[in-house]
Amino acid sequence: MPRIMNIRTRIMSDKADLRIILANPRGFCAGVDRAIEIVEKALVKYGAPVYVRHEIVHNKFVVDRLRDMGAVFVDELDSVPDGVPVIFSAHGVPKSVPEAAESRQLEYLDATCPLVSKVHRGAERHHADGKHILLIGHAGHPEVIGTMGQLPPGSMTLIETEEDAENLQVENPENLAFVTQTTLSLDDTAKIISILQRRFPAIEVPKKEDICYATTNRQHAVKLIATDADAILVLGAPNSSNSNRLVEVAKREGCDRSVLVERAKDIDWSKLDGISTLGITAGASAPEILVEEVIDACRERYNVTVETLTLTNENVTFKLPRQLAS
């Protein structure tokens, strides 16, 4: 028996040391918390199944958990049977979606993040003032589709890149306004806005920054750990805009070995060979349990010490829809 214990001790001592720096804030934001709670409370109130149009948030772990509880995720309302409640995802939907639900007398709950709704209302105000609106965002993202769907076709032009901003031609340069997707890179968006303001000095800007507080905080926090980390793991889904931006920000800050992973089993450990300090953060749709899972996986391979680098502590909360208010 003592001989076996000695072998175990030697194996443990052969592990390399690894310092893990956790970025704070990371993970769930208030909009994601609210959206998930809406599905959970709807299942309690109405019973399963409750239908959800699109992924409630961009995270497979979260979606699978809610599916196991009785949520049914569909691409469009056509797949929702009559007489059951339907929930709209946190990314927002075009106005045509609730209109279609009402025409079928479906009860719906809107889980759109209030900060996305703020962008919608801003676009509507600009449109009411007769302005043509430039939307800075990524084509095909559900939030962009939802924002553009707030107004009649042709009311809004999508700007994805600095090149788009440089080449844009408009009928009335004196009658423009812009809004942005809430999950963009702060630095990239600032460059695009600078070009638009140089080319169109009269362009009207949002009253408050459209990129949300959570995106902003997580990008600033990852910048802090990028200066001290040999590699960074960003927990998030491949289709999560804010998670992908975290990888880009980390690389731009000099941490070239920054990668997006959905969970611990997806880590390519060969890419971490030779590192002594690992940064970890998580996109706004990634639950903390996945961060803990990655730390546990690291402990199997390294002698781990963990520290947290805090930029700020978030205390934002959003109200639930009136149907679920207790």
Side-chain angles (χ1 to χ4, degrees):
M1 190 65 164
R3 188 174 169 184
I4 295 174
M5 292 298 292
N6 288 338
I7 292 172
R8 286 179 178 170
T9 301
R10 187 166 64 249
I11 291 172
M12 287 297 292
S13 66
D14 287 342
K15 288 183 179 181
D17 292 334
L18 181 65
R19 172 182 172 231
I20 291 178
I21 309 176
L22 298 177
N24 183 43
R26 65 181 178 275
F28 280 178
C29 63
V32 167
D33 273 330
R34 174 180 180 269
I36 294 170
E37 188 176 1
I38 286 172
V39 179
E40 293 171 342
K41 285 187 175 293
L43 285 165
V44 172
K45 177 175 180 176
Y46 301 103
V50 167
Y51 282 72
V52 185
R53 183 185 179 275
H54 292 178
E55 292 184 338
I56 188 68
V57 297
H58 283 159
N59 188 274
K60 184 177 185 300
F61 181 90
V62 171
V63 169
D64 286 348
R65 172 181 165 272
L66 294 173
R67 184 182 287 115
D68 290 343
M69 293 172 64
V72 178
F73 294 89
V74 298
D75 290 332
E76 297 298 342
L77 289 186
D78 293 348
S79 300
V80 179
D82 293 335
V84 298
V86 61
I87 299 170
F88 304 148
S89 80
H91 309 101
V93 296
K95 283 188 173 180
S96 58
V97 174
E99 289 171 356
E102 289 170 2
S103 71
R104 291 181 53 194
Q105 297 183 323
L106 292 176
E107 180 168 2
Y108 65 85
L109 297 94
D110 190 356
T112 301
C113 173
L115 299 180
V116 174
S117 296
K118 178 185 79 70
V119 176
H120 292 177
R121 304 293 81 80
E124 288 176 332
R125 285 193 298 272
H126 291 315
H127 181 66
D129 291 338
K131 295 185 181 295
H132 184 76
I133 300 157
L134 308 180
L135 170 59
I136 303 171
H138 298 301
H141 190 276
E143 184 182 330
V144 166
I145 294 170
T147 299
M148 296 192 80
Q150 301 304 302
L151 301 177
S155 304
M156 201 175 296
T157 298
L158 182 63
I159 305 293
E160 293 191 82
T161 64
E162 294 175 51
E163 184 179 7
D164 288 345
E166 288 285 9
N167 295 332
L168 177 66
Q169 300 297 320
V170 296
E171 290 184 8
N172 188 353
E174 302 299 314
N175 202 36
L176 294 174
F178 76 82
V179 296
T180 80
Q181 185 179 331
T182 64
T183 56
L184 300 178
S185 160
L186 294 167
D187 296 334
D188 290 344
T189 305
K191 293 175 184 176
I192 292 173
I193 291 171
S194 178
I195 293 169
L196 293 175
Q197 290 181 315
R198 169 174 54 78
R199 295 195 60 215
F200 310 109
I203 193 168
E204 188 168 336
V205 305
K207 292 181 179 179
K208 290 186 178 180
E209 175 67 66
D210 282 343
I211 296 177
C212 81
Y213 79 93
T215 297
T216 300
N217 288 345
R218 280 149 191 72
Q219 288 182 24
H220 285 318
V222 84
K223 285 182 179 182
L224 290 180
I225 66 171
T227 61
D228 198 18
D230 302 313
I232 290 178
L233 297 179
V234 177
L235 276 294
N239 59 342
S240 166
S241 174
N242 77 88
S243 299
N244 279 287
R245 303 296 79 76
L246 289 174
V247 176
E248 294 170 0
V249 168
K251 288 182 175 180
R252 191 175 294 136
E253 290 299 305
C255 190
D256 293 333
R257 285 200 277 182
S258 298
V259 294
L260 180 70
V261 294
E262 287 199 77
R263 54 190 313 176
K265 65 181 178 60
D266 303 313
I267 298 172
D268 181 352
W269 295 98
S270 67
K271 293 184 178 179
L272 303 182
D273 285 347
I275 71 167
S276 59
T277 301
L278 175 66
I280 298 178
T281 189
S285 302
E288 183 65 13
I289 191 173
L290 299 186
V291 174
E292 295 169 359
E293 181 184 85
V294 167
I295 294 172
D296 288 342
C298 289
R299 287 195 171 109
E300 294 176 2
R301 294 164 174 82
Y302 301 93
N303 293 318
V304 171
T305 59
V306 180
E307 60 189 77
T308 299
L309 189 57
T310 298
L311 172 76
T312 185
N313 291 308
E314 296 175 345
N315 56 5
V316 179
T317 58
F318 295 129
K319 294 180 180 179
L320 296 175
R322 56 175 177 75
Q323 300 102 307
L324 300 177
S326 48

